[in-house]
Amino acid sequence: MPADQQLAKSLKPRHLSMIAIAGVIGAGLFVGSGAAIQQAGPGILLAYMAAGVVVILVMRMLGEMAAANPETGSFSTYADKALGRWAGFSIGWLYAWFWIIVLGIEATAGAAIMHRWVPGIDQWVWALILMVLLTLTNLGSVKSYGEFEFWFASIKVAAIVLFLLFGAAAILGLVPGVPAPGLSNLIDNGGFLPNGPGAVLAGILVVVFSFFGAEIATIAAGESENPVDAVKKAVKSTVWRILVFYIGSIAIVVTLLPWNDASVAKSPYVAVIELFGIPGAGTIMDIVVLTSVLSCLNSGLYTASRMLFSLSKRGDAPAAWTRISRRGVPAAAVLASTVVGFVTVGLNYIAPDTVFLFLVNTSGAIALFVWLVIASSQLILRKRMGAAGKDLALKMWLFPYLTWLSIVSIVALLIGMVILESTRESLLLSVALAAVVVALGVWRYRKSGKSPKDGEPQDRTTRESAVEAVSAS
């Protein structure tokens, strides 16, 4: 790769803003929230608030580090500096694995919708078509990725804004044919906590993973025209995105409909749209969910490829993955992510209840591992930057108290996954995978594991001999 060849810096502020929004609003909000409501009743609002607070704190910590040093590898490179080379290696590979698995899940979900619309084409063919289209988008240019994500996110935002407006009007009794419910659906049918506070704690584990993806904005910031400002805006907007889009829309669902209604469990947003008397509610929601799926596929390919590219630059992945096309895209890393993504899609059709389910479960707790690494890295790097007298463009609130609160909360969530039978297997498999990857990282850097004196991870060119020595051992 020529020395002056770099990733294109063509993402604009509007792209970054929508990438940040798209990272938070996924198909899980539109479909998966029904199961969470059935589990905890109206009290699920408390679960969304608690999970939202954890994500807001984590994003603030990540934003502090990203604004101080924008990197395509984001938290993986910060783990390099704070915890050691083994940590950056481990969390980078686990994160890339998470998004590659997501490709198989989302491609299948999108193919199912397309197959309902065009049953003459097999579902696996639709999955293949969607994967190819989004691969071409990511190979084109980072700007094309940003444009697709901008419009995908715009559709999702428009859908939620309309939902919020109609929902608020219905609650106030302003929608003809829909009587104002008052507080009846919040306090009747067993009360606000019909299944007790324990169900809310379990609900936190269900909803917390819905928020994973907000960190994509800090990865994409490295390819923007003004990364520091982009990170600051994305992180600061996380608060209102969570409050308005998640908590606001879920509040409308549980206020307008009984929490134990069968239609809520199936699809809460479709149930509310049908309440308004809008024809074709199912089709409308299919369009919104398909948009969310395509957005997730688009972001999954982008994120996995950029993490593999960053790992390759640091000598932790094949050297070929550092190659950048004339359009400023790490094409080799994109194709590497795509190949494994195609394999996972195939496994979802060949062995959905065995091999693919096993692979999905190995990624179940990776979100919490990533957040724990972010918090731990920020705790260490903030102290170093403070000792060096470095001015920060963005600061974590009430450091170090809220950082420690975040760490304790994430550990508590991991413990909760052990206690809750429905998540125990996923946690144990995720821990097993993480143990293997960490062991590889520790073994790899057992001789050359000392970071440079200033804490900066060395890139491939400056430590080529060290990597060769480790590989040969």
Side-chain angles (χ1 to χ4, degrees):
M1 182 180 70
D4 60 345
Q5 198 171 1
Q6 298 179 344
L7 295 176
K9 307 283 186 180
S10 53
L11 287 177
K12 299 183 181 300
R14 65 182 178 89
H15 293 144
L16 265 294
S17 297
M18 283 303 185
I19 287 170
I21 292 172
V24 173
I25 307 171
L29 171 62
F30 300 110
V31 181
S33 54
I37 292 171
Q38 287 286 294
Q39 183 174 35
I44 195 64
L45 285 170
L46 300 178
Y48 273 99
M49 290 178 186
V53 167
V54 174
V55 175
I56 288 168
L57 294 178
V58 169
M59 279 300 293
R60 186 77 182 190
M61 288 183 280
L62 180 56
E64 177 185 285
M65 295 184 289
N69 186 20
E71 290 272 4
T72 299
S74 187
F75 50 84
S76 176
T77 58
Y78 308 142
D80 267 350
K81 301 172 187 178
L83 304 172
R85 296 288 294 119
W86 65 270
F89 170 93
S90 303
I91 205 62
W93 275 107
L94 288 172
Y95 187 70
W97 174 247
F98 173 90
W99 283 108
I100 288 171
I101 291 296
V102 164
L103 297 181
I105 298 171
E106 299 295 337
T108 304
I113 295 174
M114 296 302 298
H115 182 63
R116 283 203 299 271
W117 292 347
V118 190
I121 299 178
D122 289 341
Q123 191 170 322
W124 71 268
V125 177
W126 281 119
L128 180 64
I129 290 171
L130 294 178
M131 282 288 293
V132 170
L133 285 176
L134 273 301
T135 299
L136 293 175
T137 298
N138 275 266
L139 285 174
S141 68
V142 69
K143 187 176 181 180
S144 66
Y145 157 74
E147 283 297 330
F148 270 82
E149 203 59 21
F150 176 82
W151 291 109
F152 286 151
S154 296
I155 293 171
K156 290 190 285 186
V157 169
I160 292 183
V161 169
L162 288 173
F163 183 85
L164 292 172
L165 292 175
F166 273 99
I171 291 172
L172 295 173
L174 301 177
V175 176
V178 181
L183 299 177
S184 60
N185 290 322
L186 295 175
I187 59 178
D188 294 344
N189 304 306
F192 188 71
L193 300 174
N195 298 322
V200 174
L201 294 176
I204 294 175
L205 290 173
V206 175
V207 305
V208 71
F209 300 103
S210 301
F211 294 117
F212 198 50
E215 73 291 334
I216 294 174
T218 65
I219 294 173
E223 295 176 77
S224 66
E225 297 168 341
N226 193 334
V228 175
D229 285 347
V231 165
K232 288 167 64 177
K233 289 178 181 177
V235 170
K236 289 179 178 179
S237 64
T238 299
V239 177
W240 67 262
R241 289 200 307 270
I242 289 175
L243 289 175
V244 174
F245 294 140
Y246 268 91
I247 299 173
S249 59
I250 295 297
I252 283 174
V253 172
V254 296
T255 302
L256 287 176
L257 295 170
W259 67 271
N260 52 0
D261 191 296
S263 63
V264 173
K266 185 178 179 181
S267 180
Y269 289 80
V270 170
V272 172
I273 294 173
E274 289 176 340
L275 180 69
F276 297 154
I278 299 175
T283 302
I284 293 171
M285 192 48 57
D286 270 350
I287 294 171
V288 175
V289 171
L290 179 62
T291 301
S292 297
V293 165
L294 293 175
S295 172
C296 198
L297 269 175
N298 197 35
S299 290
L301 271 173
Y302 172 83
T303 309
S305 66
R306 281 356 182 238
M307 187 57 73
L308 292 181
F309 171 77
S310 176
L311 287 166
S312 180
K313 279 192 67 178
R314 287 176 276 152
D316 291 335
W321 294 355
T322 61
R323 292 173 186 162
I324 297 175
S325 71
R326 287 177 295 179
R327 294 177 178 268
V329 172
V334 171
L335 290 174
S337 304
T338 302
V339 168
V340 183
F342 277 119
V343 171
T344 60
V345 172
L347 288 172
N348 201 356
Y349 288 99
I350 297 170
D353 298 323
T354 52
V355 180
F356 185 73
L357 183 61
F358 173 81
L359 296 179
V360 169
N361 282 333
T362 62
S363 67
I366 287 178
L368 294 178
F369 297 161
V370 168
W371 292 346
L372 190 59
V373 166
I374 289 172
S376 302
S377 299
Q378 189 268 339
L379 185 68
I380 295 170
L381 293 181
R382 173 66 175 272
K383 290 180 179 178
R384 289 183 189 170
M385 288 186 288
K390 184 173 182 177
D391 291 330
L392 298 175
L394 189 71
K395 289 186 177 182
M396 176 60 181
W397 306 298
L398 296 177
F399 178 83
Y401 307 108
L402 288 184
T403 298
W404 277 112
L405 176 62
S406 301
I407 291 172
V408 171
S409 299
I410 295 165
V411 171
L413 288 171
L414 288 169
I415 294 172
M417 287 189 73
V418 175
I419 297 172
L420 196 64
E421 187 176 353
S422 61
T423 56
R424 188 179 303 142
E425 181 183 4
S426 181
L427 174 69
L428 294 178
L429 286 174
S430 296
V431 168
L433 174 64
V436 171
V437 176
V438 169
L440 287 172
V442 171
W443 176 82
R444 180 176 177 81
Y445 290 103
R446 69 193 188 282
K447 292 180 181 178
S448 60
K450 291 183 180 180
S451 298
K453 197 169 184 179
D454 62 355
E456 291 287 337
Q458 297 165 303
D459 61 23
R460 181 180 295 277
T461 57
T462 60
R463 56 182 200 86
E464 185 178 358
S465 59
V467 173
E468 289 176 352
V470 172
S471 301
S473 62

